[in-house]
Amino acid sequence: MSRKIDVGKRILSANERYALKNSQLLGEQKKLCLNMISSPGSGKTTILARTIRDVKDKIKIGVIEGDIQTDLDAERIKATEAPVVQIETGGSCHLSAAQVSGALEKLPVGDLDLIFIENVGNLVCPSAFELGESGKIVVLSATEGDDKPVKYPAIFAKSKVLLINKIDLLEAGAQVDFDVERVRADARKLNKGIEIFPISAQTGEGMNRWYDWLAESTKNLQGD
Amino acid sequence: MHETMVAESLLATISDEARKQNAKPVSAKISCGMLNAVNDKVLCFAFDAIAKGTSCEGIRLEIEHKLMQGQCKKCNERFDFKLNCPKCPKCDNEEFDLLPDAPLLLEQIEFEME
């Protein structure tokens, strides 16, 4: 004999409470916060370092760096002179909202226009944990293959922007089989409103449209 | 791999209910949308491992996966979204809204009767 009880509770409510706290803090101060997600090696840190240097006169950027081990990425961001806080997850495959809450306390949020969270390199787990961000940015590089939106739909369905990085490799005649139009079409099937910017953080190609989007998004938020 | 954190939160929620009910849980029903990316075997393995020695040791997890829902912009039909055929099954229209993904929910707990 047994008895059944309906519960109807959200399982990740502890994480969601911190996410709400983060989003309230950022909302009150009108700060844009973007959660950057991709597999390892897609170029997240290179994109961030270049973006920080190229827009520094217009947008003040701070960074929360998530890594399983080491502070190598934080060192690369530090070289740009942007404020950065490192979170070493010690094996965990994603950042949690509580970790981001602690990092936000260490950043000079009041002096910034935009906070990037560089999540742990992983195309699956980080997409399931809300951090209180204003939006997610997914990065896919040309060497990873053009089938990724179909194989990892969650992150493409949830992101505001898709950055297709390393497009310089396509034009150099390298042996990279990657159809930008296929990625575009598959991502749009999951997410009609997603902004898609093909870029090369190495050569700077296509980066201006990304910078324009960042400038407009920070302006829209602060202008409210 | 994030199933470990899901399992920890789940264990905390079930233990909490078990204390309130003052009864031993036997099984639990969970539901989630596809964007939660939860793998049944991994979640059950993680839950078994961390539940050892607690009031939740050995309980059975039933996990229901909910497909994403689309809503046609022309005829308003709600339907199961399929990536390989992204259109309204009623009127073939390709213009539709994707509805929010179902959250990770602890739906029901079954307790032993004293």
Side-chain angles (χ1 to χ4, degrees):
Chain A
M1 278 296 283
S2 67
R3 63 192 162 108
K4 290 177 178 165
I5 285 174
D6 291 329
V7 185
K9 265 195 187 158
R10 295 171 82 101
I11 294 170
L12 294 177
S13 56
N15 187 69
E16 284 162 2
R17 270 197 300 279
Y18 275 105
L20 184 66
K21 185 184 153 197
N22 294 344
S23 99
Q24 280 168 346
L25 176 105
L26 294 161
E28 278 161 16
Q29 303 200 40
K30 297 189 176 178
K31 306 297 179 188
L32 189 70
C33 177
L34 300 172
N35 179 6
M36 217 171 192
I37 296 174
S38 79
S39 47
S42 68
K44 289 187 295 300
T45 316
T46 307
I47 293 168
L48 283 181
R50 182 163 196 138
T51 302
I52 292 166
R53 289 195 173 100
D54 288 352
V55 305
K56 69 169 186 287
D57 295 333
K58 282 189 254 171
I59 310 172
K60 296 284 169 240
I61 297 177
V63 179
I64 297 172
E65 271 294 338
D67 278 297
I68 290 181
Q69 298 283 340
T70 80
D71 60 354
L72 291 175
D73 286 356
E75 289 301 321
R76 287 170 66 192
I77 299 296
K78 245 183 229 164
T80 69
E81 295 174 4
V84 56
V85 175
Q86 173 78 46
I87 301 171
E88 235 183 279
T89 65
S92 176
C93 51
H94 60 273
L95 289 176
S96 70
Q99 289 169 321
V100 169
S101 170
L104 283 171
E105 285 172 15
K106 292 181 198 155
L107 269 184
V109 174
D111 302 337
L112 304 171
D113 302 307
L114 164 60
I115 294 142
F116 275 110
I117 302 168
E118 185 179 338
N119 219 309
V120 178
N122 178 333
L123 217 41
V124 184
C125 312
S127 66
F129 292 86
E130 297 299 323
L131 303 177
E133 71 271 36
S134 332
K136 292 179 177 57
I137 310 289
V138 57
V139 182
L140 174 65
S141 63
T143 48
E144 292 166 54
D146 52 20
D147 53 0
K148 293 302 167 288
V150 185
K151 291 174 88 171
Y152 300 87
I155 185 56
F156 293 89
K158 288 180 176 179
S159 291
K160 274 201 171 144
V161 173
L162 161 60
L163 296 175
I164 304 175
N165 193 25
K166 308 189 189 179
I167 56 163
D168 53 311
L169 294 181
L170 301 177
E171 285 147 24
Q175 306 276 318
V176 180
D177 190 12
F178 185 93
D179 181 353
V180 174
E181 291 317 308
R182 180 187 175 190
V183 172
R184 237 187 245 280
D186 286 345
R188 290 243 157 87
K189 275 180 204 166
L190 289 159
N191 183 342
K192 288 236 156 39
I194 193 167
E195 298 274 0
I196 302 174
F197 304 123
I199 59 164
S200 165
Q202 198 69 42
T203 65
E205 189 183 346
M207 293 293 276
N208 282 335
R209 284 186 56 215
W210 158 240
Y211 299 155
D212 289 344
W213 185 86
L214 288 176
E216 203 182 301
S217 303
T218 42
K219 208 177 94 192
N220 285 345
L221 191 68
Q222 291 167 351
D224 281 352
Chain B
M1 197 176 148
H2 66 290
E3 281 87 349
T4 315
M5 186 164 165
V6 174
E8 280 172 3
S9 306
L10 183 61
L11 178 65
T13 316
I14 299 176
S15 307
D16 206 36
E17 287 297 321
R19 256 193 310 277
K20 276 189 222 159
Q21 301 291 334
N22 196 21
K24 176 154 175 44
V26 190
S27 71
K29 266 190 198 160
I30 296 149
S31 68
C32 61
M34 70 175 248
L35 298 190
N36 290 297
V38 166
N39 178 292
D40 294 7
K41 277 188 184 163
V42 180
L43 179 60
C44 292
F45 180 83
F47 189 86
D48 283 350
I50 60 170
K52 281 224 165 71
T54 74
S55 62
C56 295
E57 181 166 351
I59 78 172
R60 198 174 65 251
L61 298 181
E62 277 174 50
I63 304 158
E64 183 199 350
H65 293 268
K66 293 186 173 169
L67 288 171
M68 280 182 82
Q69 300 282 302
Q71 184 160 29
C72 179
K73 284 194 175 173
K74 211 154 92 189
C75 73
N76 267 334
E77 171 84 353
R78 280 176 87 146
F79 56 93
D80 290 342
F81 168 76
K82 293 190 190 81
L83 190 62
N84 57 6
C85 183
K87 58 183 181 182
C88 172
K90 203 167 147 196
C91 72
D92 275 352
N93 178 24
E94 291 185 5
E95 289 294 311
F96 58 87
D97 291 317
L98 267 183
L99 301 175
D101 192 41
L104 252 170
L105 275 187
L106 171 59
E107 301 266 7
Q108 195 184 58
I109 309 174
E110 184 183 358
F111 292 100
E112 254 175 19
M113 295 287 268
E114 301 91 64

